[in-house]
Amino acid sequence: MVVGHRDRVEQEEHPLAVVNGVSMMENRELIRLDVSRLQWPDKDNGPAAEAVQEILYGWVRTSGLEYKQGMHELCLAVYVEAAGSRSRSDVMFREMMEWLYPLFYADGAVSRWIDAELMQCVRPAVAAGQAAAAGPLPLLHPLPLRRVAALLERYSGSHEVWCVRWCRLLFMRELAGPQEYWPVWRAVMRADASARGRVVACVAVVLMVCVLPELCAAQDESEWLGVLLHYPGLRGVSVDDIVLWAAELGAQRQEVPEVPEVGPPVLTLEDRILQQTNREWYAKHKDSDISRIRMEARLQRRVNWRLHQTGLK
């Protein structure tokens, strides 16, 4: 028996329908609940809320993929950027999900991205013809991100916790509104689809460098996560700087740095970012390793606690 278009639509709209293995009722209820919790730019959000719900529900119905939390925030950002055009928002959201879902929303995707992209950002490039499996290479040049690399290795067991939010929402919570996250999104989407995960990784690493003082001072994994999940924001730099630094880091990943000739030391990308975002901290700690910085932070906390207990502070 051939099912006509009208019959098929009625089946898909049935509250108990299962389309492509996905429960329409469960997804619609979750979408409705999440959309109701959104913070809207306009108090009169009834039509907009309905539009966002239908865009999300339509994507679930036609893609055969389940809705996941976080998509509603992306959809709202797209809807606002499209000036409330439902048709344009629908197209923009579907195009975003084509590459974002397999990168960060699919099962196990974030874990794979951490190994394939994030950790590769802080490792030195491998010379042509030298296999990575051949063992550690002699370090003939300074690591461009030595502090971030040390921290990522130290807290390697917790990366998926903060990466899920940073990546699935494309830095919406870490950056201050659409004026900051849309330039980053555009930079990501300008790249080829196969390179977008790499661009996201480069942006993530640059954002980490900007808050290295707090990350280095973290005494344990809980404090480390606290900084990343409550990102302090950009300091004295624009989002354009973030995009440029991320692009520079991406270019460095494709090249094997040459051994510099004898002469004054060349500042790494990490050094230059710290000079611009945390000048005083960098001047004090530019030659310190992570352990020393953590110890100094711990001692300073004890001093502050003593002063507070004695009423001197």
Side-chain angles (χ1 to χ4, degrees):
M1 174 178 168
V2 178
V3 179
H5 173 72
R6 180 176 178 180
D7 294 331
R8 185 169 62 253
V9 170
E10 289 178 353
Q11 290 175 10
E12 292 179 355
E13 292 298 334
H14 191 279
L16 298 180
V18 175
V19 179
N20 296 322
V22 176
S23 168
M24 294 295 102
M25 181 175 67
E26 291 179 4
N27 277 266
R28 183 179 281 279
E29 287 302 315
L30 185 55
I31 289 169
R32 183 181 293 116
L33 178 62
D34 280 353
V35 171
S36 70
R37 295 169 174 168
L38 283 170
Q39 295 183 352
W40 297 87
D42 190 348
K43 292 183 179 180
D44 183 19
N45 58 40
E50 180 182 355
V52 170
Q53 286 185 41
E54 290 307 313
I55 290 169
L56 290 166
Y57 185 69
W59 176 81
V60 170
R61 190 174 62 244
T62 57
S63 68
L65 299 170
E66 287 193 311
Y67 166 83
K68 294 189 178 182
Q69 288 185 317
M71 292 180 181
H72 63 305
E73 295 187 49
L74 294 172
C75 191
L76 174 59
V78 166
Y79 183 80
V80 172
E81 179 69 11
S85 169
R86 180 167 166 178
S87 59
R88 185 180 168 208
S89 302
D90 186 73
V91 171
M92 291 172 65
F93 182 75
R94 289 174 182 274
E95 289 177 348
M96 176 181 284
M97 283 296 110
E98 282 183 7
W99 61 269
L100 192 62
Y101 190 97
L103 259 180
F104 301 119
Y105 283 94
D107 292 341
V110 172
S111 179
R112 292 190 293 272
W113 172 84
I114 291 170
D115 292 335
E117 301 294 353
L118 180 67
M119 298 306 296
Q120 294 304 316
C121 280
V122 297
R123 292 170 180 154
V126 178
Q130 289 182 298
L137 297 174
L139 188 60
L140 300 178
H141 55 85
L143 275 173
L145 298 153
R146 65 180 178 87
R147 302 172 187 86
V148 172
L151 289 168
L152 286 173
E153 292 294 340
R154 178 186 293 271
Y155 300 113
S156 59
S158 64
H159 294 339
E160 198 159 346
V161 176
W162 61 273
C163 285
V164 163
R165 193 177 79 177
W166 280 38
C167 299
R168 287 187 173 180
L169 293 180
L170 288 177
F171 313 109
M172 287 185 72
R173 301 275 181 86
E174 290 65 50
L175 297 173
Q179 71 277 9
E180 288 191 356
Y181 60 70
W182 265 106
V184 171
W185 291 10
R186 292 189 182 100
V188 174
M189 290 185 282
R190 279 196 298 269
D192 293 337
S194 61
R196 288 173 184 169
R198 185 180 312 140
V199 178
V200 173
C202 291
V203 172
V205 169
V206 168
L207 289 177
M208 291 177 69
V209 176
C210 292
V211 294
L212 264 176
E214 288 89 342
L215 293 176
C216 289
Q219 299 299 305
D220 53 35
E221 192 171 70
S222 177
E223 291 188 10
W224 153 267
L225 286 174
V227 175
L228 295 174
L229 295 177
H230 301 86
Y231 191 79
L234 303 183
R235 296 169 175 156
V237 296
S238 70
V239 69
D240 294 332
D241 295 320
I242 302 299
V243 171
L244 288 173
W245 287 330
E248 182 177 344
L249 177 56
Q252 288 182 4
R253 285 186 56 182
Q254 306 303 312
E255 302 172 356
V256 179
E258 296 180 357
V259 181
E261 297 179 358
V262 177
V266 178
L267 290 178
T268 66
L269 175 61
E270 186 180 74
D271 290 319
R272 288 186 282 112
I273 294 175
L274 285 169
Q275 276 191 333
Q276 193 163 338
T277 57
N278 298 275
R279 181 175 295 276
E280 291 184 9
W281 183 91
Y282 175 75
K284 180 179 179 181
H285 295 292
K286 62 181 179 180
D287 298 319
S288 302
D289 60 23
I290 301 300
S291 296
R292 180 180 179 84
I293 296 171
R294 289 176 68 242
M295 181 185 68
E296 290 183 1
R298 182 165 59 251
L299 292 174
Q300 186 62 53
R301 291 184 190 185
R302 291 178 180 175
V303 170
N304 291 340
W305 181 80
R306 286 284 188 183
L307 292 174
H308 178 76
Q309 290 296 103
T310 57
L312 297 177
K313 185 175 182 179

